[in-house]
C-alpha cells in the first residue's frame, strides 16, 4: 500500500481545508525543539548556571534552532509523519492528564488559602462567596446546556451526558461535605464548574451537521464569528499550556523542599516536557483527533473523536477528584489510628 505525499483532511484538491500532513510536521518540529531544550537544560538548579541563561535568554540563537527544528520534519518521509501522528495522540492524552493534575493542584491551593481551617479564627467570607458563585454557575450552566443542546426529546445522548454531569456535580459536593472528608464547598464548587465547562466543550465539539447541535443566531451571520472563536481557542490553549508548564510543583513527588533565592523558580525540564506534549495536543486539536477525516476551514477540535475525548476527560477529572477526597480521608483516619496505637513511653 503506497503512502501519498500528503495526508488529506478535507479531501483532495480542496484548498480551503487544512491538511493533517502539514499540521503534524509543524507539531513535530515544535516537539523536536522542546526536546532539545529539555536536553540542554536538564538538571539546571541554580540561577547562576550557564544553562539558566540559555533557558531565559539567547533568543536569536533559539529562534534559529526553532526554525531548523520546524524545517527538519518537512524532509522526513510521510510514513514517519503518520507514525508521529499516532504517537501524538498518546502524547496529547498525557498532556490532558498533566493539565488535570495542575487544575487539581490549583483547586487545592484555593481551598487552603480561602477556606478556614478547623479550629482557626479565619473568616473565610471570600471562600464562601466564591463557593456560592461556583455552584450557581455550575447548575445554571447545566440549565443552559440543556436549553442549547437538547432542542428535542430525541437527543438522548445529549440528555444523558448533561444529566450525568449534574449527577457528578452533586456527588462531588456530597463527598466534599461528608463529615469524614470535610473539604468544604469551595473545592467541589470550582471542580463542579470545571466539569460543567468540560461538558459544554464536549457538546460544542459535536459535528454541526447533527440535529441536536443548536447554534445561536449570532454565529450564523458569517465566518467572522468562527474566526474570532478560533483565535480565542488558540489563545486559551496557549495560556493553559504555559500555566501547566510553570506549575511544575504539581508533578513532583516531594513538595517539602526549601526554595532558596539562588534556585530556579521552576523545573526547566518539566516545563519543556509539558510544552513538547502541548505541541502534540495542538496537532490533535487542529485535526480534531482524526488523521484521515476532513475538518472545516477555521474550525478547531470539532468531531466525534474530539467529543469523546472531552467526555472522557470530564469523567476522569471527576473520578480523580472524588478519589483524592476519599484517599485524604482514609489517610487521616490511618494516621489517627497509628497515633492511638503507638506505645506510650514513660519517662522516669
Amino acid at each position: 500500500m503506497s503512502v501519498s505525499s500528503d495526508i488529506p483532511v478535507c479531501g483532495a484538491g480542496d484548498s480551503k481545508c487544512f491538511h493533517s500532513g502539514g499540521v503534524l510536521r509543524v507539531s513535530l518540529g515544535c516537539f523536536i525543539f522542546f526536546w532539545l531544550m529539555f536536553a540542554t537544560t536538564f538538571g539546571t538548579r541554580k540561577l547562576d548556571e550557564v544553562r539558566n541563561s540559555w533557558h531565559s535568554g539567547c533568543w536569536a540563537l533559539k529562534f534559529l534552532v526553532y526554525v531548523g527544528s520546524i524545517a527538519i520534519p518537512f524532509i522526513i518521509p510521510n510514513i514517519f509523519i503518520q507514525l508521529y501522528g499516532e504517537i501524538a495522540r498518546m502524547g496529547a492524552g498525557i498532556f490532558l492528564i498533566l493539565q488535570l493534575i495542575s487544575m487539581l493542584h490549583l483547586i487545592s491551593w484555593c481551598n487552603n488559602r480561602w477556606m478556614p481551617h478547623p479550629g482557626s479564627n479565619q473568616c473565610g467570607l471570600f471562600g464562601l462567596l466564591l463557593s456560592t458563585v461556583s455552584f450557581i454557575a455550575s447548575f445554571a450552566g447545566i440549565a443552559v446546556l440543556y436549553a442549547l443542546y437538547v432542542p428535542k426529546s430525541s437527543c438522548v445522548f445529549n440528555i444523558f451526558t448533561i444529566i450525568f454531569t449534574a449527577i457528578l456535580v452533586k456527588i462531588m459536593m456530597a463527598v466534599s461535605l461528608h463529615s469524614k472528608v470535610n473539604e468544604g464547598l469551595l473545592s467541589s464548587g470550582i471542580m463542579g464548574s470545571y466539569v460543567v465547562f468540560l461538558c459544554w466543550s464536549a457538546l460544542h465539539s459535536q459535528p454541526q451537521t447533527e440535529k441536536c447541535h443548536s447554534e445561536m443566531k449570532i454565529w450564523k451571520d458569517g465566518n467572522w464569528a468562527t474566526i474570532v472563536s478560533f483565535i480565542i481557542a488558540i489563545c486559551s490553549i496557549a495560556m493553559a499550556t504555559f500555566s501547566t508548564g510553570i506549575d511544575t510543583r504539581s508533578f513532583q513527588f516531594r513538595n517539602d523542599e526549601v526554595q532558596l533565592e539562588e534556585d530556579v523558580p521552576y523545573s526547566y525540564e518539566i516545563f519543556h516536557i509539558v510544552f513538547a506534549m502541548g505541541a502534540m495536543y495542538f496537532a490533535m486539536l487542529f485535526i480534531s483527533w482524526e488523521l484521515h477525516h476532513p475538518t472545516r476551514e477555521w474550525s478547531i477540535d470539532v468531531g466525534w473523536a474530539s467529543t469523546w475525548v472531552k467526555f472522557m476527560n470530564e469523567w476522569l477529572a471527576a473520578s480523580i477528584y472524588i478519589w483524592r477526597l476519599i484517599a485524604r480521608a482514609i489517610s487521616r483516619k490511618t494516621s489517627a489510628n497509628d497515633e492511638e496505637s503507638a506505645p506510650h513511653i514513660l519517662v522516669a
Side-chain angles (χ1 to χ4, degrees):
M1 180 178 180
S2 61
V3 180
S4 61
S5 58
D6 191 18
I7 310 173
V9 174
C10 301
D14 193 345
S15 60
K16 296 183 179 180
C17 297
F18 293 107
H19 292 268
S20 64
V23 171
L24 291 175
R25 281 179 166 84
V26 174
S27 172
L28 178 57
C30 295
F31 180 82
I32 293 173
F33 172 76
F34 287 116
W35 268 100
L36 288 175
M37 292 299 300
F38 164 80
T40 53
T41 59
F42 182 81
T44 305
R45 294 294 178 265
K46 301 298 180 181
L47 294 175
D48 56 356
E49 294 185 30
V50 177
R51 290 175 295 177
N52 177 68
S53 301
W54 165 244
H55 172 80
S56 305
C58 303
W59 297 107
L61 180 57
K62 284 195 290 190
F63 177 76
L64 295 177
V65 175
Y66 177 76
V67 171
S69 301
I70 293 295
I72 289 175
F74 285 90
I75 61 176
I76 295 178
N78 291 322
I79 185 65
F80 295 105
I81 300 300
Q82 290 180 332
L83 178 61
Y84 170 76
E86 299 294 341
I87 298 175
R89 283 178 175 174
M90 296 184 290
I94 295 174
F95 176 80
L96 287 176
I97 295 176
L98 295 178
Q99 192 177 48
L100 174 58
I101 295 174
S102 180
M103 182 66 185
L104 292 175
H105 181 75
L106 174 63
I107 291 175
S108 179
W109 179 86
C110 293
N111 190 71
N112 294 333
R113 181 176 179 84
W114 292 322
M115 292 301 291
H117 298 281
S120 66
N121 296 325
Q122 186 179 358
C123 178
L125 181 61
F126 180 75
L128 180 60
L129 176 63
L130 187 58
S131 304
T132 304
V133 172
S134 298
F135 274 107
I136 292 177
S138 299
F139 291 107
I142 290 173
V144 171
L145 290 180
Y146 198 89
L148 289 178
Y149 297 99
V150 188
K152 49 188 176 180
S153 59
S154 60
C155 300
V156 179
F157 178 77
N158 290 5
I159 294 175
F160 168 76
T161 53
I162 294 173
I163 292 177
F164 189 75
T165 299
I167 294 174
L168 287 178
V169 173
K170 292 182 180 180
I171 291 176
M172 289 188 296
M173 180 177 65
V175 174
S176 181
L177 291 176
H178 195 275
S179 59
K180 295 183 179 179
V181 177
N182 197 22
E183 283 289 326
L185 285 172
L186 181 58
S187 65
S188 58
I190 298 176
M191 194 64 193
S193 300
Y194 181 64
V195 166
V196 172
F197 167 77
L198 291 177
C199 181
W200 166 82
S201 182
L203 293 173
H204 190 70
S205 293
Q206 290 181 352
Q208 296 187 5
T209 56
E210 294 297 318
K211 297 180 180 179
C212 296
H213 189 288
S214 59
E215 295 185 19
M216 293 182 291
K217 294 182 179 180
I218 189 174
W219 300 108
K220 298 181 181 180
D221 295 336
N223 289 332
W224 67 269
T226 306
I227 297 174
V228 171
S229 63
F230 178 85
I231 295 174
I232 293 175
I234 291 294
C235 294
S236 62
I237 295 166
M239 292 178 61
T241 305
F242 185 79
S243 61
T244 304
I246 62 176
D247 188 21
T248 57
R249 293 184 67 87
S250 302
F251 316 123
Q252 297 176 355
F253 293 102
R254 293 186 59 184
N255 293 327
D256 56 350
E257 298 180 0
V258 179
Q259 182 77 21
L260 303 178
E261 293 184 0
E262 61 271 16
D263 292 341
V264 295
Y266 52 88
S267 174
Y268 293 163
E269 50 264 37
I270 297 180
F271 177 85
H272 293 301
I273 287 177
V274 170
F275 265 75
M277 299 299 172
M280 294 180 169
Y281 181 63
F282 264 88
M284 291 299 104
L285 294 186
F286 274 103
I287 65 176
S288 300
W289 298 81
E290 294 283 357
L291 298 178
H292 307 287
H293 287 72
T295 181
R296 290 193 318 164
E297 184 180 10
W298 295 109
S299 66
I300 181 172
D301 206 19
V302 175
W304 280 114
S306 300
T307 300
W308 278 108
V309 167
K310 291 181 179 180
F311 276 132
M312 295 301 295
N313 190 30
E314 173 196 344
W315 300 336
L316 179 64
S319 300
I320 292 180
Y321 174 77
I322 295 172
W323 173 79
R324 286 188 63 176
L325 293 180
I326 297 176
R328 287 181 181 178
I330 295 176
S331 177
R332 286 196 295 263
K333 183 177 180 180
T334 303
S335 300
N337 292 337
D338 291 342
E339 292 178 359
E340 292 178 359
S341 60
H344 298 283
I345 301 177
L346 299 177
V347 180

